[in-house]
Amino acid sequence: MITGYVEKIVYKNNENAYCVLEVSSKGDDFVLVGTFPFISEGDYIEADGKMTVHPVYGEQLQVTSYKIKQPDDIAGIEKYLSSGAIKGIGPGLTSKIIRKFGEETIRIIEEEPERLAEIKGISERMAIEISAQVEEKKDMRSAMMFLSGYGLSMKMALKIYKVYGTEIYSVIENNPYQLADDIEGIGFKIADEIARRVGFKADSEYRIKSGILYVLAQAGGYGHMYLPSEELIDACRQLLGEDAGPITDILDNMQFDKRVIIKEGNVYAASAYYTELNIARLLTDINAAVPVKIITGGPGTGKTTNIKNFITQYEKEGLEIACAAPTGRAAKRMEEATGHQASTIHRLLEVTVSGDMDGNPDRDAYTGDGYEGARFARNESCPLEYDVVIIDEMSMVDSYLMNSLLKAIVPGTKLILVGDMNQLPSVGPGNVLKDIISSGCFDVMKLTRIYRQDEQSDIIINAHKMIGGEDIDIAKQSRDFVFVKRNDPDSIISAMLTLVKDKLPDYVDADIEDIQVMSPMKKGALGVERLNSILQSYLNPSSADKAEKELNSVIWREGDKVMQIRNNYRIEWEIRDSRGYAVKHGEGIYNGDIGIIREVNLFAEEISVEFDEGRIATYGFSDMNELELAYAVTIHKSQGSEYPAVVIPVYQGPRMLMTRNIVYTAVTRAQKCVTLVGIPECFREMCENTQEMKRYSGLRERLIEFNS
């Protein structure tokens, strides 16, 4: 434990309160690192933690807990007040205050602030303002210590205090489950632990309601818009325990309060149900004014040609056209293929972050990965000003993004939706493209004829064979569809390393970082976590001239290939010229964006990543959960992207992941060459496995209801 004065705040991250402090204690100087909300130079601090040795900056205390103490002598009081910790008091006034009140100074400021006006240069108003500052700091620190007593980190406690202020005491006492509703990052389990410490019983109505909403939110993470009531109740029993009380009765009460909607025995979170209902209503209205057109088909069937033809036709008519796709990579491909400017759907809708806009913009209902804190300026109150809207890669569009898009389109606008319904469904909840097509309510152009036969692309031919259930001759000598037989994980990895490092870059005329390894699995001998660790060690090994940092059991090294795994609308980026000066600024890095780590700054605790088009974004060490190593990615994460060459391990795995549409999606991500490495029988089993993970989605039924 170290007790002393904060001599200097060497570094402070205002977003998460991570600080590097210089502290003077009993004649010695120490460096303290950790999360310190509301810290000021001159504060008298008592800190506990673990002493470590930084490879560059030497010995420092990694602080796990701390508290601010009142200075207990004249020298300490003077150091604190003259540090600037209290706005309006500098060294001059500090001397006057201490001469007047001595060791009673802090007590006078807190309990009798009006007496400060006895000092020349301090008015009554200023005296009250000084006291208010001291009281506010005291309230903040008390609340932070109160919250830390429930096992919360300082970072999380700071987030809670910013929402509730001093009301946090009544929230914790009356209903700690409210935290899960109001604050991103606090789920049911954290709130439940706090409630347990407070003394809430297992059958508390607050607990059961929060548990039900948590189970529905978790289901959304697996793509579901609802759960059948039996499945929901079973999941709640597993979460809450058998002594949780009458879940069915509380479900009925929640429906009465409109927190859930029960439709045909299926339970929706209210926001999910009304999202589906709104999509159905808006699509039906747009279709009634000018027919909505859906174009679907596999690779090489002419989807892009049809888009280009529509663009040419509508440009001749003088119509304004907007082209968009769900991801930046997909939008870039759309623009290159059609010659017409394209953007992400988020940029089309003019995304920004909460609190940055005037008026009353649309707040997307989805509070999971991708939309938290985001607003779209374009909505029903401020619609898009285009005559035609064309959306590509529709299989990737989830229900919440579709709802936001449709809100911004007025009836009379031509809407063209393009996608491959055999691709994997969206990462977010819903089954939008398939539900729209299967509803039978819209004009659907199904493309089945392959028009790119002249290129003799076995990627395209074999992809269509997969969908048709036809056998694929993996022994055929092909220039772009290759199967390398290997029997065990280590030999599979060895062959993939040779392909990525030595064979494929020259073969497809691409850099090593453009060759993409894809796996169906995240865990296991051939899951992306293990593959990334191995590929990193061979493709970007440790060296003295490359800084690195280990965080959460992952080594992040300069030169590493990484992927953003959630939409971050708030993060700033810049594009620099050859001299390193910023020439362009912007905000937003999105799920699926791939970049290279350019700098690991161990002192500032930051990592800089360069994404497409030279956009450089900086992440604090505590924000690195937004990134993953990307030498290998899951096939799900590859949606909407194309790569010069793709390498896929083929080995035994969970049947739900070894499916036809998963391998089909992976194969169709390759532009010039796809190489499968592994066991032929496993590949055949994947092609024959037509099982798809069931997604509970009611959009098809809602569309039929509106059109019946």
Side-chain angles (χ1 to χ4, degrees):
M1 181 177 292
I2 291 174
T3 302
Y5 295 100
V6 178
E7 295 286 352
K8 185 178 181 181
I9 299 177
V10 178
Y11 171 79
K12 183 173 185 179
N13 184 319
N14 290 323
E15 286 292 317
N16 57 27
Y18 178 87
C19 296
V20 179
L21 310 178
E22 287 184 2
V23 172
S24 174
S25 175
K26 300 176 182 177
D28 292 323
D29 292 330
F30 296 90
V31 175
L32 277 59
V33 296
T35 303
F36 297 91
F38 320 119
I39 199 76
S40 301
E41 291 180 355
D43 279 346
Y44 190 54
I45 185 173
E46 182 179 274
D48 202 2
K50 180 181 179 182
M51 194 65 76
T52 62
V53 178
H54 193 282
V56 176
Y57 305 110
E59 193 175 57
Q60 51 187 218
L61 183 72
Q62 296 276 352
V63 175
T64 55
S65 64
Y66 78 97
K67 59 184 176 181
I68 304 295
K69 303 181 72 175
Q70 295 291 6
D72 53 10
D73 57 21
I74 295 294
I77 295 171
E78 183 171 12
K79 184 184 288 284
Y80 172 66
L81 293 180
S82 62
S83 69
I86 300 175
K87 189 183 293 185
I89 297 182
L93 274 181
T94 296
S95 297
K96 292 180 181 179
I97 294 171
I98 290 176
R99 278 201 302 271
K100 176 72 174 178
F101 300 116
E103 293 182 356
E104 289 282 284
T105 295
I106 298 298
R107 188 194 66 77
I108 295 292
I109 291 174
E110 291 181 350
E111 300 175 11
E112 302 177 75
E114 68 281 356
R115 290 191 58 192
L116 291 174
E118 297 173 12
I119 297 170
K120 187 176 181 181
I122 299 181
S123 64
E124 287 187 16
R125 179 178 176 181
M126 185 178 178
I128 293 171
E129 288 176 354
I130 290 171
S131 177
Q133 285 186 65
V134 172
E135 193 63 30
E136 183 182 19
K137 285 175 177 283
K138 187 177 178 182
D139 289 344
M140 288 176 180
R141 289 166 178 160
S142 297
M144 299 296 285
M145 294 304 110
F146 170 75
L147 291 169
S148 67
Y150 289 101
L152 293 166
S153 68
M154 283 295 177
K155 182 179 178 180
M156 188 58 71
L158 175 61
K159 183 179 282 191
I160 294 170
Y161 185 82
K162 285 181 177 178
V163 173
Y164 298 116
T166 55
E167 292 180 10
I168 185 57
Y169 303 102
S170 61
V171 170
I172 294 291
E173 181 182 352
N174 297 324
N175 179 17
Y177 295 99
Q178 186 179 334
L179 298 171
D181 292 342
D182 295 346
I183 299 173
E184 181 188 10
I186 293 193
F188 169 81
K189 292 186 177 181
I190 293 176
D192 198 39
E193 174 59 21
I194 294 171
R196 185 190 66 78
R197 295 189 183 196
V198 172
F200 275 68
K201 294 183 178 178
D203 62 352
S204 161
E205 185 170 341
Y206 287 130
R207 181 172 188 258
I208 297 172
K209 285 182 177 179
S210 184
I212 288 169
L213 294 176
Y214 174 77
V215 168
L216 290 173
Q218 291 294 103
Y222 290 98
H224 302 307
M225 294 297 287
Y226 66 80
L227 283 178
S229 57
E230 298 83 2
E231 285 192 31
L232 173 68
I233 291 170
D234 287 346
C236 287
R237 290 285 179 209
Q238 290 182 25
L239 175 71
L240 302 170
E242 290 300 325
D243 55 348
I247 294 174
T248 303
D249 292 346
I250 289 176
L251 261 178
D252 291 338
N253 292 338
M254 291 177 74
Q255 184 174 14
F256 182 78
D257 295 336
K258 297 188 176 178
R259 299 199 72 184
V260 300
I261 303 294
I262 302 177
K263 184 85 171 177
E264 298 153 354
N266 300 318
V267 184
Y268 290 81
S271 62
Y273 177 76
Y274 290 117
T275 292
E276 282 193 342
L277 199 66
N278 207 43
I279 292 172
R281 177 182 64 82
L282 292 170
L283 263 179
T284 301
D285 289 347
I286 295 168
N287 194 49
V290 179
V292 172
K293 183 174 289 293
I294 293 93
I295 303 172
T296 186
T301 56
K303 296 191 299 295
T304 300
T305 300
N306 274 278
I307 293 174
K308 290 166 72 174
N309 290 341
F310 279 119
I311 290 172
T312 300
Q313 172 189 333
Y314 293 136
E315 283 181 337
K316 286 179 180 178
E317 296 175 17
L319 302 181
E320 289 289 322
I321 305 166
C323 292
T327 68
R329 281 178 168 255
K332 186 177 181 181
R333 283 178 40 233
M334 187 183 189
E335 184 169 316
E336 291 170 348
T338 65
H340 191 281
Q341 183 179 350
S343 72
T344 63
I345 297 172
H346 295 84
R347 292 214 177 277
L348 179 67
L349 299 178
E350 299 178 17
V351 66
T352 187
V353 291
S354 298
D356 288 350
M357 300 171 59
D358 296 324
N360 185 28
D362 175 50
R363 168 72 157 89
D364 203 292
Y366 185 39
T367 57
D369 179 22
Y371 298 95
E372 182 65 32
R375 295 171 180 259
F376 295 114
R378 295 294 178 173
N379 50 52
E380 57 268 65
S381 303
C382 183
L384 293 167
E385 298 172 354
Y386 294 97
D387 304 302
V388 183
V389 175
I390 304 174
I391 306 296
D392 198 8
E393 294 285 0
M394 267 298 299
S395 63
M396 298 179 65
V397 177
D398 64 51
S399 295
Y400 296 102
L401 184 57
M402 187 65 174
N403 185 38
S404 292
L405 173 67
L406 295 177
K407 286 180 182 180
I409 297 176
V410 295
T413 303
K414 300 177 190 297
L415 179 60
I416 301 172
L417 308 176
V418 185
D420 183 348
M421 66 179 184
N422 291 307
Q423 295 277 3
L424 290 169
S426 58
V427 175
N431 217 358
V432 174
L433 181 62
K434 283 189 178 179
D435 280 357
I436 291 173
I437 292 172
S438 64
S439 73
C441 300
F442 304 93
D443 178 13
V444 178
M445 182 188 298
K446 292 185 178 180
L447 307 175
T448 56
R449 180 180 173 186
I450 303 174
Y451 286 94
R452 283 154 58 183
Q453 288 275 19
D454 58 315
E455 300 177 11
Q456 293 299 306
S457 171
D458 285 322
I459 293 174
I460 293 173
I461 293 168
N462 289 339
H464 284 268
K465 284 184 177 180
M466 286 180 197
I467 296 306
E470 301 176 45
D471 286 337
I472 296 172
D473 182 6
I474 61 174
K476 176 185 175 183
Q477 294 294 315
S478 171
R479 66 180 176 83
D480 66 353
F481 192 99
V482 181
F483 199 103
V484 178
K485 295 181 183 179
R486 295 290 186 273
N487 294 320
D488 62 87
D490 288 343
S491 61
I492 289 172
I493 292 170
S494 178
M496 290 197 302
L497 278 167
T498 301
L499 287 163
V500 173
K501 191 174 182 181
D502 302 323
K503 302 291 187 184
L504 287 172
D506 288 340
Y507 185 67
V508 297
D509 189 25
D511 295 330
I512 288 178
E513 57 260 29
D514 294 325
I515 312 301
Q516 190 59 59
V517 174
M518 296 179 189
S519 173
M521 297 165 288
K522 194 163 187 175
K523 305 286 186 180
L526 290 169
V528 297
E529 290 183 357
R530 181 169 185 246
L531 289 176
N532 270 316
S533 178
I534 294 171
L535 289 166
Q536 179 193 47
S537 67
Y538 281 92
L539 301 180
N540 187 35
S542 178
S543 72
D545 60 350
K546 287 185 289 192
E548 63 181 54
K549 174 67 178 180
E550 183 173 353
L551 297 165
N552 303 319
S553 301
V554 175
I555 294 173
W556 306 92
R557 183 177 297 137
E558 290 174 351
D560 276 340
K561 180 180 177 182
V562 296
M563 174 185 278
Q564 178 81 12
I565 60 170
R566 58 169 300 196
N567 289 334
N568 185 333
Y569 307 98
R570 203 181 292 270
I571 191 170
E572 297 179 353
W573 53 260
E574 62 184 27
I575 297 174
R576 300 170 185 168
D577 63 17
S578 58
R579 297 172 298 171
Y581 294 111
V583 294
K584 186 176 181 181
H585 296 269
E587 287 184 343
I589 301 294
Y590 301 108
N591 190 4
D593 284 355
I594 286 181
I596 303 294
I597 293 179
R598 295 304 183 199
E599 182 184 15
V600 176
N601 189 322
L602 298 172
F603 180 75
E605 305 267 339
E606 292 177 341
I607 291 178
S608 296
V609 181
E610 181 176 347
F611 292 95
D612 290 344
E613 300 173 343
R615 297 172 299 143
I616 297 175
T618 300
Y619 297 76
F621 283 179
S622 60
D623 301 320
M624 291 301 288
N625 58 352
E626 295 193 4
L627 295 174
E628 288 180 352
L629 291 176
Y631 299 101
V633 300
T634 61
I635 295 169
H636 248 113
K637 285 291 186 183
S638 74
Q639 285 178 277
S641 299
E642 282 191 351
Y643 307 90
V646 167
V647 181
I648 307 165
V650 181
Y651 193 68
Q652 300 160 354
R655 184 168 172 77
M656 69 176 66
L657 294 177
M658 311 303 286
T659 65
R660 177 184 293 175
N661 68 337
I662 283 180
V663 71
Y664 170 83
T665 298
V667 165
T668 55
R669 298 305 90 204
Q671 294 170 317
K672 298 180 181 180
C673 182
V674 61
T675 306
L676 300 108
V677 185
I679 302 174
E681 290 75 18
C682 291
F683 174 66
R684 294 191 183 98
E685 288 172 6
M686 289 184 80
C687 292
E688 292 169 2
N689 182 7
T690 58
Q691 174 185 348
E692 293 184 30
M693 291 182 68
K694 171 67 177 173
R695 282 203 166 197
Y696 294 122
S697 167
L699 178 58
R700 176 181 178 275
E701 287 69 29
R702 304 291 85 77
L703 285 166
I704 292 171
E705 288 172 2
F706 269 97
N707 286 273
S708 60

